[in-house]
Amino acid sequence: MAVTAGTYTVDAVNGPEIPVPICSNTGFGATHTEWYMYTAPQDYSLTITTDLSQNAGGDTRINIYEGNCGSLSCVGGADDQGTVLLAVATVQVSAGVTYRFSFDDRWSSAGFDFTLVEGPPVITEFNFTVQSVPSSGGYNECVVDMDGDGLDDIVSADGSVIRIDRQLAGGGFSTTNIPTTPADNAPSWSIAAGDIDGNGYMDLLYGGGGGATFMKANANGTAYTEISFPEYIFCQRTNFVDINADGNLDAFSCHDVDANVAFMNDGSGNLSFGQGGFGETCGNYGSIWIDYDGDHDIDLFVAKCGCDPIDILMRNNGDGTFTNVAPSLGLADGHSSWSSAWGDYDNDGDQDVLIGSSGSPTSKLMRNDNGAFMDVLVGSGFDTFTGTNIEWATHDFNNDGWLDILGGGELMLNNGDFTFTPSTANSPTAGAVGDLNNDGFLDIVSGSSIYMNTGNSNNYLRVNLVGTVSNRNGIGASILVTSAMGTQAREVRSGDAFSTMSSIMAHFGLGVDTELGDVVVHWPSGIVDVYQDLPVNSTVDLVEGSGSVGIAEKQVPAFQVFPNPVVDVLTVSMGSDLAKGTVRVLDITGKEVLRGVLDRGRLDVSALGAGLYAVQVDGVLSAGKFTKL
């Protein structure tokens, strides 16, 4: 059936010719399909959605194709939208081209309505112009706002000088050279930045071949005190992160020849050396702190090489201990990765990963499905891309709303369907990333050059967090931004790729969207702030506790749990839709007694003792309590 823009009714999914290939990455299993044809009258951004009020409680899947029957190729697809089981897919279509799309009975054969919406095409073209970094000397690996004025600066450092090219509000830079006492360790392997004492000025961590050196800013950022630890560390990647969620910013260093090292903050900006508990063997190269399972505490992934090259993922147990879960999740690889790029590549709210290759033929691309991982390398563009590098990072460089990947000597652009295409932009092979001319597009510092993004007509939002209960920088926070194109997730991190320090501000490309829905910040403290009506094309400062605090209050009426009382299997719904995500069960004292991932709304609670409990889904506390018999 040929269709144009509008709303249509599917009486039932009972047609022949099951979809091949599957474009939504949720596997085979359909036995019947309903097919439609759409010919684009002009270039459009085409959205196909079943997420309509009349479809509440339904479960649909969309596959979108280009080509003729028998030789179809995937253009896009969707299965489940956020916390509901309906689907929304947006693809770019070209004038005169005929596209085919299908709905199948992988989950349900019930009828539903769908809508086609034609919108302006998202612009993906952009480029970089090259100019010199104003100052010279040292290690130009750091782009970060050093003084809290909302503008990213360029930092280079060596053993005796910190050079800051401060971005000026009217454009350009002003260079400040700050002499320091001789550092025991220069940032020859990596550099990280974070405000460990909360005074509003960034402190620095140098990762050197013989150990770690901290440069601590004074009360006005005009001088630095050198603090070096005597313990030997062959530092590789370094990070600032609040490891124990006490509101104080700690630090971390990979150790090439021994167990990894943590520097714990006592709350007064004083750090203590500790070793063990975060990977006990050698070969630790590229650490990155992420929340892979969506439980809003911070986990650690280490890309490894050398003497023990098996990658590790240290899951935060919530009690101060960490457990390596990489083997059970298919992430324990030994392909000399050096670094990894974690980000929400499919805009479904969880952190996917590209584990980069530094020498083996291909990288590894894994899609996160609520804390479980699926290998989606085949057909992604990275299966045929054999570029290698020690630096891999992800950012949205063309502001189309999809995270791109910089690494392997190439900038790979995200097509929005878990496929990636080499960019034609004049990009470097790697570098520190931030907005260096305050135009809302991300630039790159690589060596002595600035690659300034020429941008395009796409919109953006930049978020600068100011912690009050959490650490000052909000490092470890997750941010969800909703607009017409869907919901994007970002995490605030100190230290990405292998050696670089990129901007701590969270960057969201918005494509053609001109309005924002909710912006939700999950702080490391557990506070949840909700903001509405934030302006696009702006950098906003969000202070912890300043939003509508507690998204739980907003969503409480929609959560339901049944049966109640329950014997073995509990079902959690939000309105008429089954809930999905990471689920925690709390006893009447607020203590976590069970954790898991909802399986189409269901949770096995048979192991619980008799009593009264509450359910928390993705950090949101359910209004309903249940009694376990």
Side-chain angles (χ1 to χ4, degrees):
M1 175 180 175
V3 295
T4 57
T7 299
Y8 300 84
T9 296
V10 178
D11 294 326
V13 182
N14 53 19
E17 299 180 14
I18 60 174
V20 178
I22 300 297
C23 305
S24 56
N25 293 314
T26 47
F28 293 94
T31 57
H32 298 90
T33 308
E34 298 298 316
W35 287 89
Y36 296 87
M37 258 188 336
Y38 166 85
T39 301
Q42 63 184 69
D43 292 351
Y44 275 131
S45 176
L46 179 71
T47 297
I48 305 173
T49 178
T50 64
D51 190 10
L52 309 172
S53 59
Q54 61 266 39
N55 294 335
D59 193 352
T60 58
R61 182 171 73 168
I62 305 170
N63 295 289
I64 308 172
Y65 304 96
E66 191 174 348
N68 297 316
C69 294
S71 59
L72 298 175
S73 59
C74 288
V75 176
D79 185 13
D80 299 350
Q81 176 70 11
T83 57
V84 301
L85 303 179
L86 300 169
V88 180
T90 300
V91 296
Q92 304 304 304
V93 295
S94 301
V97 176
T98 296
Y99 299 85
R100 290 172 169 80
F101 62 94
S102 67
F103 303 95
D104 61 54
D105 64 351
R106 175 71 170 88
W107 308 117
S108 173
S109 61
F112 56 89
D113 291 347
F114 71 88
T115 296
L116 268 69
V117 180
E118 296 168 334
V122 174
I123 303 300
T124 58
E125 292 79 11
F126 71 110
N127 214 326
F128 294 95
T129 59
V130 184
Q131 63 187 65
S132 296
V133 173
S135 62
S136 60
Y139 298 90
N140 290 339
E141 300 288 347
C142 181
V143 171
V144 71
D145 178 7
M146 291 292 288
D147 52 10
D149 64 355
L151 300 173
D152 285 328
D153 309 308
I154 304 172
V155 181
S156 61
D158 55 29
S160 59
V161 177
I162 296 173
R163 299 174 179 85
I164 305 176
D165 294 316
R166 300 187 189 276
Q167 185 181 166
L168 303 176
F173 300 89
S174 174
T175 300
T176 302
N177 293 326
I178 303 177
T180 67
T181 55
D184 289 356
N185 306 284
S188 53
W189 285 97
S190 66
I191 190 169
D195 186 356
I196 58 177
D197 54 5
N199 69 351
Y201 292 90
M202 286 292 187
D203 309 298
L204 301 174
L205 169 56
Y206 300 169
T213 289
F214 293 86
M215 286 291 178
K216 189 174 179 181
N218 67 0
N220 58 14
T222 58
Y224 289 81
T225 300
E226 185 243 359
I227 303 170
S228 293
F229 283 77
E231 292 85 359
Y232 170 67
I233 314 170
F234 192 163
C235 294
Q236 301 290 324
R237 171 76 266 172
T238 49
N239 313 93
F240 282 103
V241 59
D242 184 359
I243 294 173
N244 57 0
D246 64 352
N248 304 309
L249 199 58
D250 311 304
F252 179 85
S253 176
C254 278
H255 199 330
D256 190 359
V257 297
D258 205 342
N260 291 318
V261 173
F263 300 89
M264 305 306 293
N265 189 337
D266 67 358
S268 299
N270 302 309
L271 300 168
S272 60
F273 178 94
Q275 191 169 15
F278 303 99
E280 306 305 308
T281 65
C282 51
N284 305 289
Y285 277 59
S287 53
I288 187 165
W289 290 82
I290 44 92
D291 178 15
Y292 86 91
D293 53 1
D295 62 356
H296 302 298
D297 57 23
I298 200 74
D299 311 301
L300 166 67
F301 181 81
V302 180
K304 301 189 68 175
C305 187
C307 64
D308 180 7
I310 308 301
D311 297 337
I312 59 175
L313 174 58
M314 305 300 294
R315 181 184 182 275
N316 190 329
N317 299 319
D319 60 1
T321 65
F322 291 74
T323 301
N324 183 21
V325 295
S328 64
L329 295 175
L331 299 176
D333 294 285
H335 68 295
S336 298
S337 45
W338 280 64
S339 63
S340 59
W342 285 79
D344 185 10
Y345 294 123
D346 52 357
N347 287 351
D348 69 346
D350 50 27
Q351 297 294 308
D352 314 298
V353 61
L354 185 285
I355 304 174
S357 171
S358 67
S360 54
T362 59
S363 301
K364 181 169 183 144
L365 184 63
M366 302 290 281
R367 191 186 74 233
N368 188 340
D369 292 325
N370 294 318
F373 289 85
M374 176 179 290
D375 189 335
V376 291
L377 181 67
V378 175
S380 68
F382 277 100
D383 51 343
T384 56
F385 175 63
T386 57
T388 59
N389 204 308
I390 65 173
E391 307 277 1
W392 298 85
T394 180
H395 304 272
D396 183 0
F397 288 99
N398 56 9
N399 282 2
D400 66 348
W402 301 96
L403 285 171
D404 311 308
I405 296 175
L406 181 64
E410 188 65 79
L411 173 55
M412 298 288 280
L413 297 182
N414 189 339
N415 300 316
D417 58 358
F418 243 113
T419 66
F420 296 80
T421 303
S423 170
T424 59
N426 175 32
S427 56
T429 58
V433 176
D435 185 355
L436 292 171
N437 58 357
N438 201 30
D439 67 348
F441 287 84
L442 293 176
D443 313 302
I444 307 170
V445 172
S446 182
S448 60
S449 297
I450 304 172
Y451 287 74
M452 204 70 81
N453 195 328
T454 61
N456 52 39
S457 61
N458 290 337
N459 299 312
Y460 70 91
L461 176 72
R462 301 197 80 208
V463 177
N464 181 46
L465 296 185
V466 181
T468 55
V469 181
S470 303
N471 66 86
R472 175 68 178 255
N473 306 123
I475 293 169
S478 62
I479 306 171
L480 301 176
V481 170
T482 300
S483 66
M485 71 178 299
T487 299
Q488 301 180 54
R490 299 287 187 271
E491 294 183 344
V492 180
R493 301 168 182 152
S494 171
D496 66 354
F498 170 70
S499 65
T500 57
M501 176 68 210
S502 293
S503 176
I504 283 180
M505 282 183 272
H507 178 92
F508 298 83
L510 299 173
V512 299
D513 292 352
T514 57
E515 295 182 352
L516 293 171
D518 288 351
V519 174
V520 181
V521 182
H522 290 267
W523 295 87
S525 65
I527 290 174
V528 181
D529 282 332
V530 182
Y531 300 88
Q532 296 173 326
D533 301 320
L534 294 180
V536 301
N537 296 331
S538 65
T539 299
V540 295
D541 294 330
L542 302 184
V543 179
E544 187 172 12
S546 66
S548 300
V549 181
I551 191 173
E553 295 178 6
K554 182 177 180 182
Q555 294 185 343
V556 154
F559 275 101
Q560 296 179 355
V561 292
F562 57 90
N564 193 4
V566 61
V567 175
D568 48 12
V569 177
L570 184 74
T571 298
V572 183
S573 69
M574 190 163 59
S576 57
D577 301 310
L578 297 177
K580 58 184 273 189
T582 302
V583 58
R584 301 169 66 217
V585 177
L586 313 177
D587 66 15
I588 58 175
T589 69
K591 178 183 178 182
E592 178 184 312
V593 293
L594 179 65
R595 183 193 295 257
V597 176
L598 288 172
D599 178 12
R600 305 184 74 75
R602 297 181 297 272
L603 176 69
D604 184 352
V605 296
S606 58
L608 294 177
L612 181 65
Y613 300 92
V615 174
Q616 192 178 59
V617 180
D618 285 340
V620 180
L621 190 65
S622 166
K625 295 180 173 63
F626 70 91
T627 299
K628 171 65 170 61
L629 297 178

